[in-house]
Amino acid sequence: MARRPDEEAGMGLTVAIPGGPAAGEALMRAEAARCAMARLLAVAGHDLKQPLQVALMSIERAVSDGVAPRAAARLGLASDALQRLARELDDLARSSQAGHAPPRIETVPLGALLATVEEEWQLFAEACGVRLRVRASGLCGRSEGAMLATILRNLVGNAIKYAGRGGRVLVGCRRRGSRIVVEIHDNGLGIAPERLAGIFEAFDRGGRRDGVGLGLGLHIVRQTAQALGHAVAVQSHPGRGSTFSVTLPRSGLAPDHEAPDAADARA
């Protein structure tokens, strides 16, 4: 029986492994390769961040030394792009280590977290000609703040890229019983139905052939969500856009008033 997209993207993915000594040896080799790759990603992320820091410092000094307003604006965009790259390297390293230690689940105010994600992506969205709107929320969820930020950062960045120039991206929360659903809507071209099942696989780029990205963002989303026990899902209507969502437990500290419902104002 075929899995629904939310099952495929969620935390309950099951893989059948045949028995026998050969299968055991293959599993050991696969685990050794995974551990080696995790170490490589962690080291690479650390080493690659050093030249990024040098580039950022150089940009800051150039601006402080005095440049024309137009040049300062361009340097600002370059600085923002380098900072996003640094965060993505952190996300990649964190994803590679997922499963090594259980995450520290705590109460996370979603309004502040979403505001940070909006600030991180706003300049890029403007440069792409995309209107990014994040609706305020007073809800609190149970998660690990840095890991949840990784999920939302990648989903928002993905939506901006696929919305295209003149497009819109809307982010909002809704309360659903004891859980909270954070939704990211875009009004881009959407995803073909036959591609939905594999959209969270590494190097899958949803059919894009424009050379933008390696297709790791949604894979990082799935790996991180699985480590947190959060469900991620996607719905898409070709020609009308896509909605990605992450569902997490609601904290008892959340206020009693209803949060803005993202579904009431789709992008």
PDB file of all heavy atoms in Angstrom, residues 8 31 55 64 77 85 95 108 117-118 120 124 136 142 154 159 169 176 196 201 204 210 219 253 255 266:
ATOM      1  N   GLU A   8       5.444   9.474   4.493  1.00  0.00           N
ATOM      2  CA  GLU A   8       6.767   9.354   3.895  1.00  0.00           C
ATOM      3  C   GLU A   8       7.731  10.359   4.503  1.00  0.00           C
ATOM      4  O   GLU A   8       8.893  10.080   4.711  1.00  0.00           O
ATOM      5  CB  GLU A   8       6.673   9.600   2.385  1.00  0.00           C
ATOM      6  CG  GLU A   8       7.970   9.354   1.637  1.00  0.00           C
ATOM      7  CD  GLU A   8       8.314   7.899   1.513  1.00  0.00           C
ATOM      8  OE1 GLU A   8       7.396   7.066   1.566  1.00  0.00           O
ATOM      9  OE2 GLU A   8       9.500   7.601   1.375  1.00  0.00           O
ATOM     10  N   GLU A  31      26.695   1.381   8.401  1.00  0.00           N
ATOM     11  CA  GLU A  31      26.781   2.198   9.606  1.00  0.00           C
ATOM     12  C   GLU A  31      28.163   2.841   9.727  1.00  0.00           C
ATOM     13  O   GLU A  31      28.284   4.008  10.123  1.00  0.00           O
ATOM     14  CB  GLU A  31      26.489   1.338  10.839  1.00  0.00           C
ATOM     15  CG  GLU A  31      26.598   2.074  12.167  1.00  0.00           C
ATOM     16  CD  GLU A  31      25.617   3.225  12.297  1.00  0.00           C
ATOM     17  OE1 GLU A  31      24.633   3.269  11.529  1.00  0.00           O
ATOM     18  OE2 GLU A  31      25.822   4.080  13.171  1.00  0.00           O
ATOM     19  N   ALA A  55      35.902  36.532   5.515  1.00  0.00           N
ATOM     20  CA  ALA A  55      35.182  37.310   4.508  1.00  0.00           C
ATOM     21  C   ALA A  55      34.217  38.292   5.162  1.00  0.00           C
ATOM     22  O   ALA A  55      34.107  39.452   4.741  1.00  0.00           O
ATOM     23  CB  ALA A  55      34.438  36.364   3.563  1.00  0.00           C
ATOM     24  N   SER A  64      32.903  50.035   7.212  1.00  0.00           N
ATOM     25  CA  SER A  64      33.269  51.013   8.249  1.00  0.00           C
ATOM     26  C   SER A  64      34.304  52.011   7.751  1.00  0.00           C
ATOM     27  O   SER A  64      34.346  53.156   8.222  1.00  0.00           O
ATOM     28  CB  SER A  64      33.804  50.286   9.486  1.00  0.00           C
ATOM     29  OG  SER A  64      35.007  49.585   9.176  1.00  0.00           O
ATOM     30  N   LEU A  77      24.239  42.820   1.176  1.00  0.00           N
ATOM     31  CA  LEU A  77      23.663  41.595   0.620  1.00  0.00           C
ATOM     32  C   LEU A  77      24.670  40.457   0.650  1.00  0.00           C
ATOM     33  O   LEU A  77      24.335  39.312   0.955  1.00  0.00           O
ATOM     34  CB  LEU A  77      23.196  41.838  -0.817  1.00  0.00           C
ATOM     35  CG  LEU A  77      21.917  42.667  -0.989  1.00  0.00           C
ATOM     36  CD1 LEU A  77      21.666  42.937  -2.466  1.00  0.00           C
ATOM     37  CD2 LEU A  77      20.722  41.940  -0.375  1.00  0.00           C
ATOM     38  N   LEU A  85      25.039  31.205   4.679  1.00  0.00           N
ATOM     39  CA  LEU A  85      25.866  30.043   4.380  1.00  0.00           C
ATOM     40  C   LEU A  85      26.458  29.458   5.658  1.00  0.00           C
ATOM     41  O   LEU A  85      26.494  28.227   5.827  1.00  0.00           O
ATOM     42  CB  LEU A  85      26.980  30.437   3.410  1.00  0.00           C
ATOM     43  CG  LEU A  85      27.967  29.331   3.019  1.00  0.00           C
ATOM     44  CD1 LEU A  85      27.237  28.124   2.439  1.00  0.00           C
ATOM     45  CD2 LEU A  85      28.997  29.860   2.030  1.00  0.00           C
ATOM     46  N   SER A  95      22.778  18.145  11.559  1.00  0.00           N
ATOM     47  CA  SER A  95      22.007  17.039  10.998  1.00  0.00           C
ATOM     48  C   SER A  95      22.838  15.767  10.932  1.00  0.00           C
ATOM     49  O   SER A  95      22.345  14.668  11.170  1.00  0.00           O
ATOM     50  CB  SER A  95      21.511  17.411   9.595  1.00  0.00           C
ATOM     51  OG  SER A  95      20.884  16.312   8.976  1.00  0.00           O
ATOM     52  N   VAL A 108       9.652  26.292  23.857  1.00  0.00           N
ATOM     53  CA  VAL A 108      10.189  27.206  22.853  1.00  0.00           C
ATOM     54  C   VAL A 108       9.104  28.201  22.451  1.00  0.00           C
ATOM     55  O   VAL A 108       8.083  27.804  21.886  1.00  0.00           O
ATOM     56  CB  VAL A 108      10.678  26.436  21.602  1.00  0.00           C
ATOM     57  CG1 VAL A 108      11.185  27.410  20.548  1.00  0.00           C
ATOM     58  CG2 VAL A 108      11.751  25.427  21.974  1.00  0.00           C
ATOM     59  N   VAL A 117      13.770  33.845  12.235  1.00  0.00           N
ATOM     60  CA  VAL A 117      13.845  33.243  10.907  1.00  0.00           C
ATOM     61  C   VAL A 117      13.467  34.264   9.839  1.00  0.00           C
ATOM     62  O   VAL A 117      14.098  34.349   8.779  1.00  0.00           O
ATOM     63  CB  VAL A 117      12.938  32.001  10.824  1.00  0.00           C
ATOM     64  CG1 VAL A 117      12.857  31.479   9.393  1.00  0.00           C
ATOM     65  CG2 VAL A 117      13.466  30.903  11.756  1.00  0.00           C
ATOM     66  N   GLU A 118      12.434  35.071  10.117  1.00  0.00           N
ATOM     67  CA  GLU A 118      12.023  36.111   9.170  1.00  0.00           C
ATOM     68  C   GLU A 118      13.147  37.108   8.928  1.00  0.00           C
ATOM     69  O   GLU A 118      13.437  37.482   7.778  1.00  0.00           O
ATOM     70  CB  GLU A 118      10.786  36.845   9.689  1.00  0.00           C
ATOM     71  CG  GLU A 118      10.315  37.958   8.761  1.00  0.00           C
ATOM     72  CD  GLU A 118       9.132  38.709   9.338  1.00  0.00           C
ATOM     73  OE1 GLU A 118       8.924  38.663  10.570  1.00  0.00           O
ATOM     74  OE2 GLU A 118       8.406  39.350   8.547  1.00  0.00           O
ATOM     75  N   GLU A 120      16.330  36.614   9.250  1.00  0.00           N
ATOM     76  CA  GLU A 120      17.417  35.972   8.516  1.00  0.00           C
ATOM     77  C   GLU A 120      17.154  35.901   7.017  1.00  0.00           C
ATOM     78  O   GLU A 120      18.083  35.975   6.212  1.00  0.00           O
ATOM     79  CB  GLU A 120      17.644  34.560   9.067  1.00  0.00           C
ATOM     80  CG  GLU A 120      18.221  34.534  10.473  1.00  0.00           C
ATOM     81  CD  GLU A 120      18.303  33.133  11.049  1.00  0.00           C
ATOM     82  OE1 GLU A 120      17.768  32.194  10.412  1.00  0.00           O
ATOM     83  OE2 GLU A 120      18.885  32.972  12.126  1.00  0.00           O
ATOM     84  N   PHE A 124      17.123  38.315   1.585  1.00  0.00           N
ATOM     85  CA  PHE A 124      17.198  37.394   0.452  1.00  0.00           C
ATOM     86  C   PHE A 124      15.873  37.382  -0.306  1.00  0.00           C
ATOM     87  O   PHE A 124      15.847  37.388  -1.538  1.00  0.00           O
ATOM     88  CB  PHE A 124      17.541  35.988   0.941  1.00  0.00           C
ATOM     89  CG  PHE A 124      17.602  34.956  -0.158  1.00  0.00           C
ATOM     90  CD1 PHE A 124      18.685  34.882  -1.010  1.00  0.00           C
ATOM     91  CD2 PHE A 124      16.559  34.054  -0.332  1.00  0.00           C
ATOM     92  CE1 PHE A 124      18.745  33.937  -2.018  1.00  0.00           C
ATOM     93  CE2 PHE A 124      16.606  33.100  -1.334  1.00  0.00           C
ATOM     94  CZ  PHE A 124      17.702  33.048  -2.182  1.00  0.00           C
ATOM     95  N   ALA A 136       2.463  36.831  13.471  1.00  0.00           N
ATOM     96  CA  ALA A 136       2.843  36.783  14.883  1.00  0.00           C
ATOM     97  C   ALA A 136       2.111  35.646  15.589  1.00  0.00           C
ATOM     98  O   ALA A 136       0.987  35.280  15.230  1.00  0.00           O
ATOM     99  CB  ALA A 136       2.509  38.116  15.551  1.00  0.00           C
ATOM    100  N   ARG A 142       6.932  22.427  22.467  1.00  0.00           N
ATOM    101  CA  ARG A 142       7.945  21.611  23.130  1.00  0.00           C
ATOM    102  C   ARG A 142       8.890  21.091  22.051  1.00  0.00           C
ATOM    103  O   ARG A 142       8.515  20.283  21.201  1.00  0.00           O
ATOM    104  CB  ARG A 142       7.289  20.453  23.875  1.00  0.00           C
ATOM    105  CG  ARG A 142       6.385  20.867  25.008  1.00  0.00           C
ATOM    106  CD  ARG A 142       7.182  21.440  26.178  1.00  0.00           C
ATOM    107  NE  ARG A 142       8.051  20.437  26.782  1.00  0.00           N
ATOM    108  CZ  ARG A 142       8.975  20.700  27.695  1.00  0.00           C
ATOM    109  NH1 ARG A 142       9.178  21.952  28.081  1.00  0.00           N
ATOM    110  NH2 ARG A 142       9.720  19.734  28.203  1.00  0.00           N
ATOM    111  N   ASN A 154      15.184  26.113   6.893  1.00  0.00           N
ATOM    112  CA  ASN A 154      15.266  25.421   5.610  1.00  0.00           C
ATOM    113  C   ASN A 154      13.938  25.446   4.866  1.00  0.00           C
ATOM    114  O   ASN A 154      13.915  25.593   3.635  1.00  0.00           O
ATOM    115  CB  ASN A 154      15.727  23.971   5.829  1.00  0.00           C
ATOM    116  CG  ASN A 154      17.231  23.859   5.967  1.00  0.00           C
ATOM    117  OD1 ASN A 154      17.968  23.887   4.986  1.00  0.00           O
ATOM    118  ND2 ASN A 154      17.703  23.725   7.191  1.00  0.00           N
ATOM    119  N   ALA A 159      10.882  27.688   0.390  1.00  0.00           N
ATOM    120  CA  ALA A 159       9.666  28.324  -0.147  1.00  0.00           C
ATOM    121  C   ALA A 159      10.005  29.579  -0.942  1.00  0.00           C
ATOM    122  O   ALA A 159       9.416  29.834  -2.001  1.00  0.00           O
ATOM    123  CB  ALA A 159       8.716  28.664   1.002  1.00  0.00           C
ATOM    124  N   VAL A 169       5.327  34.263   0.147  1.00  0.00           N
ATOM    125  CA  VAL A 169       5.519  33.196   1.128  1.00  0.00           C
ATOM    126  C   VAL A 169       4.878  33.647   2.432  1.00  0.00           C
ATOM    127  O   VAL A 169       5.119  34.767   2.900  1.00  0.00           O
ATOM    128  CB  VAL A 169       7.016  32.891   1.359  1.00  0.00           C
ATOM    129  CG1 VAL A 169       7.195  31.902   2.509  1.00  0.00           C
ATOM    130  CG2 VAL A 169       7.654  32.336   0.083  1.00  0.00           C
ATOM    131  N   ARG A 176      -3.776  22.897  17.164  1.00  0.00           N
ATOM    132  CA  ARG A 176      -4.606  21.741  16.838  1.00  0.00           C
ATOM    133  C   ARG A 176      -4.602  20.796  18.044  1.00  0.00           C
ATOM    134  O   ARG A 176      -3.761  19.912  18.158  1.00  0.00           O
ATOM    135  CB  ARG A 176      -4.067  21.036  15.596  1.00  0.00           C
ATOM    136  CG  ARG A 176      -4.945  19.917  15.078  1.00  0.00           C
ATOM    137  CD  ARG A 176      -4.411  19.382  13.765  1.00  0.00           C
ATOM    138  NE  ARG A 176      -4.548  20.350  12.683  1.00  0.00           N
ATOM    139  CZ  ARG A 176      -3.935  20.229  11.497  1.00  0.00           C
ATOM    140  NH1 ARG A 176      -3.142  19.202  11.265  1.00  0.00           N
ATOM    141  NH2 ARG A 176      -4.123  21.140  10.557  1.00  0.00           N
ATOM    142  N   LEU A 196       6.428  13.973  -5.066  1.00  0.00           N
ATOM    143  CA  LEU A 196       6.200  14.255  -3.647  1.00  0.00           C
ATOM    144  C   LEU A 196       6.813  13.207  -2.727  1.00  0.00           C
ATOM    145  O   LEU A 196       7.358  13.537  -1.675  1.00  0.00           O
ATOM    146  CB  LEU A 196       4.697  14.367  -3.372  1.00  0.00           C
ATOM    147  CG  LEU A 196       4.043  15.706  -3.733  1.00  0.00           C
ATOM    148  CD1 LEU A 196       2.550  15.624  -3.494  1.00  0.00           C
ATOM    149  CD2 LEU A 196       4.648  16.836  -2.926  1.00  0.00           C
ATOM    150  N   GLU A 201      14.277  13.328   0.157  1.00  0.00           N
ATOM    151  CA  GLU A 201      15.507  12.561  -0.020  1.00  0.00           C
ATOM    152  C   GLU A 201      16.669  13.495  -0.333  1.00  0.00           C
ATOM    153  O   GLU A 201      16.493  14.560  -0.926  1.00  0.00           O
ATOM    154  CB  GLU A 201      15.347  11.535  -1.153  1.00  0.00           C
ATOM    155  CG  GLU A 201      14.286  10.479  -0.896  1.00  0.00           C
ATOM    156  CD  GLU A 201      14.597   9.599   0.304  1.00  0.00           C
ATOM    157  OE1 GLU A 201      15.798   9.412   0.597  1.00  0.00           O
ATOM    158  OE2 GLU A 201      13.651   9.121   0.960  1.00  0.00           O
ATOM    159  N   ASP A 204      17.493  15.441  -3.871  1.00  0.00           N
ATOM    160  CA  ASP A 204      16.285  15.607  -4.669  1.00  0.00           C
ATOM    161  C   ASP A 204      15.967  17.101  -4.709  1.00  0.00           C
ATOM    162  O   ASP A 204      15.851  17.762  -3.677  1.00  0.00           O
ATOM    163  CB  ASP A 204      15.109  14.840  -4.053  1.00  0.00           C
ATOM    164  CG  ASP A 204      13.885  14.846  -4.968  1.00  0.00           C
ATOM    165  OD1 ASP A 204      13.291  15.929  -5.163  1.00  0.00           O
ATOM    166  OD2 ASP A 204      13.548  13.778  -5.480  1.00  0.00           O
ATOM    167  N   ASP A 210      17.829  24.386 -12.578  1.00  0.00           N
ATOM    168  CA  ASP A 210      18.434  25.703 -12.720  1.00  0.00           C
ATOM    169  C   ASP A 210      19.747  25.834 -11.968  1.00  0.00           C
ATOM    170  O   ASP A 210      20.326  26.914 -11.895  1.00  0.00           O
ATOM    171  CB  ASP A 210      17.471  26.797 -12.253  1.00  0.00           C
ATOM    172  CG  ASP A 210      16.964  26.553 -10.830  1.00  0.00           C
ATOM    173  OD1 ASP A 210      17.490  25.636 -10.156  1.00  0.00           O
ATOM    174  OD2 ASP A 210      16.054  27.277 -10.402  1.00  0.00           O
ATOM    175  N   HIS A 219      16.168  17.321   3.046  1.00  0.00           N
ATOM    176  CA  HIS A 219      16.710  16.121   3.701  1.00  0.00           C
ATOM    177  C   HIS A 219      17.129  16.462   5.131  1.00  0.00           C
ATOM    178  O   HIS A 219      16.868  15.691   6.061  1.00  0.00           O
ATOM    179  CB  HIS A 219      17.894  15.588   2.908  1.00  0.00           C
ATOM    180  CG  HIS A 219      18.516  14.369   3.508  1.00  0.00           C
ATOM    181  ND1 HIS A 219      17.865  13.148   3.558  1.00  0.00           N
ATOM    182  CD2 HIS A 219      19.730  14.166   4.094  1.00  0.00           C
ATOM    183  CE1 HIS A 219      18.653  12.246   4.142  1.00  0.00           C
ATOM    184  NE2 HIS A 219      19.780  12.850   4.479  1.00  0.00           N
ATOM    185  N   LEU A 253       2.626  26.114  28.793  1.00  0.00           N
ATOM    186  CA  LEU A 253       2.825  27.517  29.114  1.00  0.00           C
ATOM    187  C   LEU A 253       2.253  28.438  28.058  1.00  0.00           C
ATOM    188  O   LEU A 253       2.295  29.653  28.205  1.00  0.00           O
ATOM    189  CB  LEU A 253       4.328  27.811  29.270  1.00  0.00           C
ATOM    190  CG  LEU A 253       5.040  27.077  30.406  1.00  0.00           C
ATOM    191  CD1 LEU A 253       6.520  27.450  30.415  1.00  0.00           C
ATOM    192  CD2 LEU A 253       4.392  27.398  31.741  1.00  0.00           C
ATOM    193  N   PRO A 255      -0.241  30.694  25.926  1.00  0.00           N
ATOM    194  CA  PRO A 255      -1.418  31.471  26.339  1.00  0.00           C
ATOM    195  C   PRO A 255      -2.694  30.846  25.824  1.00  0.00           C
ATOM    196  O   PRO A 255      -2.688  30.073  24.876  1.00  0.00           O
ATOM    197  CB  PRO A 255      -1.168  32.850  25.704  1.00  0.00           C
ATOM    198  CG  PRO A 255      -0.207  32.596  24.590  1.00  0.00           C
ATOM    199  CD  PRO A 255       0.631  31.431  25.028  1.00  0.00           C
ATOM    200  N   ARG A 266      -3.786  32.299   3.002  1.00  0.00           N
ATOM    201  CA  ARG A 266      -2.774  31.592   2.223  1.00  0.00           C
ATOM    202  C   ARG A 266      -2.068  32.525   1.267  1.00  0.00           C
ATOM    203  O   ARG A 266      -2.628  33.485   0.801  1.00  0.00           O
ATOM    204  CB  ARG A 266      -3.402  30.419   1.461  1.00  0.00           C
ATOM    205  CG  ARG A 266      -3.927  29.335   2.392  1.00  0.00           C
ATOM    206  CD  ARG A 266      -4.436  28.145   1.627  1.00  0.00           C
ATOM    207  NE  ARG A 266      -4.934  27.126   2.572  1.00  0.00           N
ATOM    208  CZ  ARG A 266      -4.175  26.162   3.065  1.00  0.00           C
ATOM    209  NH1 ARG A 266      -2.917  26.072   2.725  1.00  0.00           N
ATOM    210  NH2 ARG A 266      -4.688  25.290   3.899  1.00  0.00           N
TER     211      ARG A 266
END
